[in-house]
C-alpha cells in the first residue's frame, strides 16, 4: 500500500501513545530514527545530524509552506482553485481529515510534530513577479517548501530559484516538457504529466476519430509551455500520418484571436490545434467557434480543465483534449477528494489544478515524515523513485532521473451546453495507462535533464 513504511509510523505512534501526553508521543517518535537519534530534523536548531542548509533547521513549533499562485492574470481561475486546495491541505495536515486520515505517513497533528503555517503570493501569471514572490517567501518567511504554478514559465523560474536557495519546490500545474527536461532541478518535483505525454495519449484517440492523412495548423502560447506543446503535437500527430501546415505563436494574455484564426481558416488545413490555456484558451476557442471554423475544420485543444471549459461554455462541445484529473474518475481517492473538497467549499466541484495542489502538499509532508527530518536532501531521497497509488491516477512512480511522475493521462471530450451541469463540462473518453506513455531516462525530455546537487 502506498505511503506506508516498515515498522511504526507516526500515525501508529499517535494511536499507541493515546493519553500518554506530549512527552509520551515525543519519546516514541524519537525511537523511529534510523540512527537512534531524535529523528526530529527541525527541532529548533537542536538537530545535530545534519548541517544548516537553505531554511533548515526549522526554528520554533511551526513549519511554513509558501503557496505561489496566479490570483490575477490569464490563469487566475486555476490559481484561485489551487489556493483553495492548499488551504484545505494545511487544515488536514494540522487537524486530520481528507487524505491525511488514510495516509499512514501522516498523523493529522502537523508535520514532524510542528504545526503547518503558510504564506501566499500572487504571481500574476508572470515569471519575474513569481520569482520575486518566492524570494520573499524564502528570505522573509523562512519557508521550507514552495508550491505553485499554472504557467510553466512561472514554475521553471521558481524551481530554478529554489534549487539555488536549497528550498523544495513541489510543482503544481506546469505542463512544459522543459520543467522536468532541460530546466529540471534536484529540488523540484512534478506530479503533472507533460506535453510529451499529452501527445502520446491524444494522438491515437483523435486519429481514430478523425482519420489519418489530415493537415493541421497550430496556434500556441509564446512561452515554454506553448513551444513544447506544439512541438509534441507535431511529433506525435505526424507519427500518426498527419502533416503540419504551419504553427504560429500568440502572446500570453491575448484577448482577441481573430487575426490568428482568420489566417488559420485560410490555410487549407483540415484541423486546428489551439495550444492555449486558462482564460486565453477559453477566448481562443470561443473565437474559433464564433467565426465558424468548426464548420470546415476539426478543432483540438490539447490541454484544458474544468474552469477553462466552464468559461468556454458551449464552445467546448466535441473538443478533444487532456486534463490533469477530474472528479468523474471513479475510484476511492478521487471520490473522497471530490467529497471533502465540496464539503469545505459549499458544494464546489474541484478542478484538476486543485487536486494537484492538494496532492503535492501532502506528498511533501509525507516524504518529510518518512525521512524523519526536514533536511532537504533526505526529503528529496524519500520522493525519488517513490511508488504510490493514492492520488486517484492509478499506480505512479516519481522517477529519480528527472523528478517526473510516471502516471496515467485522462483524454476528454467537451459536452454540449445542454448537458453541462454540476461541474461536468466534458466526458472522459479514455484514461491512458502509464504503461502506454512515457519515455526512458535517456530519451525524450529526460535526455536533457541534469538535476544538480543535493547540497
Amino acid at each position: 500500500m502506498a505511503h506506508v513504511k516498515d515498522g511504526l509510523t507516526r500515525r501508529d505512534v499517535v494511536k499507541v501513545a493515546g493519553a500518554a501526553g506530549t512527552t509520551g508521543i515525543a519519546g516514541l517518535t524519537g525511537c523511529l530514527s534510523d540512527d537512534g537519534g531524535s529523528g526530529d530534523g527541525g527541532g529548533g536548531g537542536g538537530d545535530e545530524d545534519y548541517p544548516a542548509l537553505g531554511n533548515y533547521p526549522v526554528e520554533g513549533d511551526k513549519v511554513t509552506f509558501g503557496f505561489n499562485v496566479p490570483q490575477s492574470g490569464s490563469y487566475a481561475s486555476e490559481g484561485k482553485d489551487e489556493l483553495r486546495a492548499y488551504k484545505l491541505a494545511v487544515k488536514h495536515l494540522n487537524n486530520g481529515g481528507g487524505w491525511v486520515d488514510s495516509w499512514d505517513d501522516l498523523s493529522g497533528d502537523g508535520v514532524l510534530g510542528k504545526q503547518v503555517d503558510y504564506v501566499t503570493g500572487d504571481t500574476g501569471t508572470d515569471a519575474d513577479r513569481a520569482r520575486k514572490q518566492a524570494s520573499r517567501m524564502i528570505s522573509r518567511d523562512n519557508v521550507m517548501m514552495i508550491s505553485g504554478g499554472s504557467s510553466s514559465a512561472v514554475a521553471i523560474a521558481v524551481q530554478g530559484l529554489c534549487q539555488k536557495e536549497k528550498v523544495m519546490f513541489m510543482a503544481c500545474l506546469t505542463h512544459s516538457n522543459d520543467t522536468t527536461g532541460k530546466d529540471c532541478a534536484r529540488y523540484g518535483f512534478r506530479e503533472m504529466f507533460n506535453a510529451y505525454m499529452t501527445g502520446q495519449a491524444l494522438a491515437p484517440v483523435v486519429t481514430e476519430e478523425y482519420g489519418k492523412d489530415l493537415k493541421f495548423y497550430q496556434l500556441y502560447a509564446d512561452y515554454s509551455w506553448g513551444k513544447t506543446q506544439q512541438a509534441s503535437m507535431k511529433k506525435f500527430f505526424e507519427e500518426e500520418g498527419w502533416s503540419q501546415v504551419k504553427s504560429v505563436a500568440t502572446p500570453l494574455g491575448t484577448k482577441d484571436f481573430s487575426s490568428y484564426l482568420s489566417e488559420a481558416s485560410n490555410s487549407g488545413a483540415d484541423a486546428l490545434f489551439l495550444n492555449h490555456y486558462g482564460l486565453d484558451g477559453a477566448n481562443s476557442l470561443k473565437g474559433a467557434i464564433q467565426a465558424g471554423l468548426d464548420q470546415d475544420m476539426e478543432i483540438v485543444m490539447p490541454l484544458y480543465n474544468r474552469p477553462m471549459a466552464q468559461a468556454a461554455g458551449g464552445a467546448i462541445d466535441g473538443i478533444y483534449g487532456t486534463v490533469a484529473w477530474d472528479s468523474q474518475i471513479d475510484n476511492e481517492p478521487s471520490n473522497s477528494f471530490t467529497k471533502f473538497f465540496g464539503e469545505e467549499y459549499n458544494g464546489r466541484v474541484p478542478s484538476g489544478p486543485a487536486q494537484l495542489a492538494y496532492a503535492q502538499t501532502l506528498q511533501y509532508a509525507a516524504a518529510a515524515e518518512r525521512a524523519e527530518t526536514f533536511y532537504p536532501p533526505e526529503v528529496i531521497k524519500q520522493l525519488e523513485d517513490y511508488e504510490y497509488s493514492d492520488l486517484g491516477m492509478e499506480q505512479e512512480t516519481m522517477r529519480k532521473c528527472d523528478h517526473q511522475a510516471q502516471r496515467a493521462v485522462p483524454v476528454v471530450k467537451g459536452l454540449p451546453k445542454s448537458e453541462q451541469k454540476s461541474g461536468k463540462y466534458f466526458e472522459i473518453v479514455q484514461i491512458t495507462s502509464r504503461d502506454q506513455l512515457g519515455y526512458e531516462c535517456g530519451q525524450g525530455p529526460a535526455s536533457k535533464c541534469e538535476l544538480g546537487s543535493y547540497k
Side-chain angles (χ1 to χ4, degrees):
M1 179 180 175
H3 290 105
V4 179
K5 61 184 178 183
D6 294 335
L8 284 175
T9 67
R10 292 185 64 84
R11 175 174 296 282
D12 294 328
V13 169
V14 173
K15 291 178 179 178
V16 171
T22 305
T23 303
I25 293 174
L28 284 168
T29 53
C31 297
L32 299 179
S33 173
D34 292 336
D35 60 4
S38 70
D40 179 73
D47 184 351
E48 298 178 356
D49 294 333
Y50 304 107
L53 182 68
N55 282 332
Y56 174 86
V58 180
E59 302 291 344
D61 58 1
K62 292 183 178 180
V63 60
T64 305
F65 297 167
F67 302 135
N68 206 17
V69 302
Q71 300 177 58
S72 60
S74 297
Y75 299 163
S77 292
E78 287 75 14
K80 291 175 182 177
D81 217 29
E82 290 169 23
L83 192 54
R84 293 183 186 98
Y86 283 130
K87 291 178 179 179
L88 186 56
V90 169
K91 178 179 179 178
H92 289 165
L93 286 172
N94 287 333
N95 304 300
W99 285 350
V100 170
D101 289 346
S102 60
W103 286 24
D104 289 320
D105 296 330
L106 300 173
S107 68
D109 188 26
V111 180
L112 293 175
K114 296 181 182 293
Q115 287 288 287
V116 180
D117 198 0
Y118 67 89
V119 293
T120 67
D122 176 11
T123 69
T125 321
D126 179 82
D128 289 339
R129 180 172 171 179
R131 189 186 295 107
K132 290 176 182 177
Q133 296 277 7
S135 181
R136 182 261 300 167
M137 291 176 175
I138 294 169
S139 61
R140 190 190 74 184
D141 302 307
N142 298 315
V143 298
M144 283 303 295
M145 181 273 282
I146 293 177
S147 187
S150 287
S151 161
S152 288
V154 163
I156 289 168
V158 174
Q159 179 171 265
L161 174 69
C162 286
Q163 176 68 32
K164 178 182 177 182
E165 299 294 339
K166 299 298 181 279
V167 171
M168 297 278 292
F169 179 65
M170 301 297 288
C172 184
L173 180 59
T174 169
H175 190 240
S176 170
N177 293 336
D178 294 343
T179 308
T180 48
K182 71 180 185 65
D183 294 312
C184 69
R186 180 71 64 183
Y187 276 67
F189 290 85
R190 174 164 63 177
E191 167 64 24
M192 176 67 179
F193 56 85
N194 60 19
Y196 194 96
M197 287 184 265
T198 280
Q200 289 175 312
L202 193 58
V205 174
V206 173
T207 298
E208 183 177 355
E209 177 70 14
Y210 298 136
K212 294 179 179 289
D213 303 323
L214 274 71
K215 295 180 292 183
F216 65 99
Y217 190 105
Q218 295 203 76
L219 297 179
Y220 65 93
D222 192 14
Y223 71 99
S224 176
W225 167 64
K227 293 174 182 178
T228 66
Q229 177 67 48
Q230 69 87 20
S232 296
M233 292 302 99
K234 184 176 186 296
K235 171 181 172 59
F236 290 105
F237 275 87
E238 287 185 344
E239 288 181 3
E240 292 286 344
W242 296 47
S243 59
Q244 179 172 281
V245 174
K246 190 176 182 180
S247 64
V248 177
T250 63
L252 183 64
T254 297
K255 293 180 174 57
D256 183 359
F257 289 87
S258 58
S259 61
Y260 298 104
L261 295 169
S262 178
E263 184 179 346
S265 178
N266 295 323
S267 67
D270 303 302
L272 172 63
F273 291 179
L274 297 174
N275 299 292
H276 301 129
Y277 197 69
L279 185 59
D280 287 15
N283 286 336
S284 69
L285 180 56
K286 286 193 293 185
I289 299 302
Q290 289 168 2
L293 269 67
D294 58 323
Q295 301 302 308
D296 300 309
M297 308 174 76
E298 307 296 350
I299 299 177
V300 178
M301 182 154 276
L303 181 71
Y304 60 89
N305 60 42
R306 189 187 59 77
M308 181 175 159
Q310 182 178 8
I316 205 73
D317 181 13
I319 303 299
Y320 281 93
T322 62
V323 296
W325 170 90
D326 189 69
S327 61
Q328 297 176 68
I329 297 173
D330 187 14
N331 54 46
E332 195 283 327
S334 292
N335 293 337
S336 65
F337 179 68
T338 300
K339 182 176 184 293
F340 63 69
F341 188 94
E343 289 172 347
E344 183 73 13
Y345 295 111
N346 299 315
R348 187 181 187 90
V349 179
S351 65
Q355 188 264 1
L356 288 170
Y358 186 87
Q360 286 293 75
T361 307
L362 265 61
Q363 287 277 48
Y364 170 79
E369 291 282 8
R370 293 194 301 274
E372 299 179 358
T373 177
F374 287 113
Y375 185 59
E378 295 301 315
V379 179
I380 289 169
K381 291 172 186 176
Q382 288 295 326
L383 287 166
E384 291 179 331
D385 279 342
Y386 188 66
E387 297 275 349
Y388 51 102
S389 60
D390 42 17
L391 304 187
M393 293 310 304
E394 303 177 355
Q395 187 69 28
E396 301 187 54
T397 303
M398 182 58 72
R399 193 159 63 177
K400 182 178 181 179
C401 70
D402 58 356
H403 294 185
Q404 171 64 58
Q406 302 300 292
R407 49 159 288 181
V409 173
V411 178
V412 299
K413 182 180 180 182
L415 291 171
K417 183 70 173 179
S418 61
E419 297 180 23
Q420 296 178 9
K421 57 183 178 180
S422 303
K424 184 178 179 181
Y425 300 95
F426 43 78
E427 62 178 324
I428 297 176
V429 175
Q430 173 178 297
I431 297 180
T432 306
S433 168
R434 72 171 186 173
D435 296 335
Q436 299 173 261
L437 304 170
Y439 42 90
E440 298 298 324
C441 287
Q443 300 175 341
S447 65
K448 300 177 182 179
C449 173
E450 296 183 7
L451 286 171
S453 66
Y454 287 93
K455 300 179 182 179

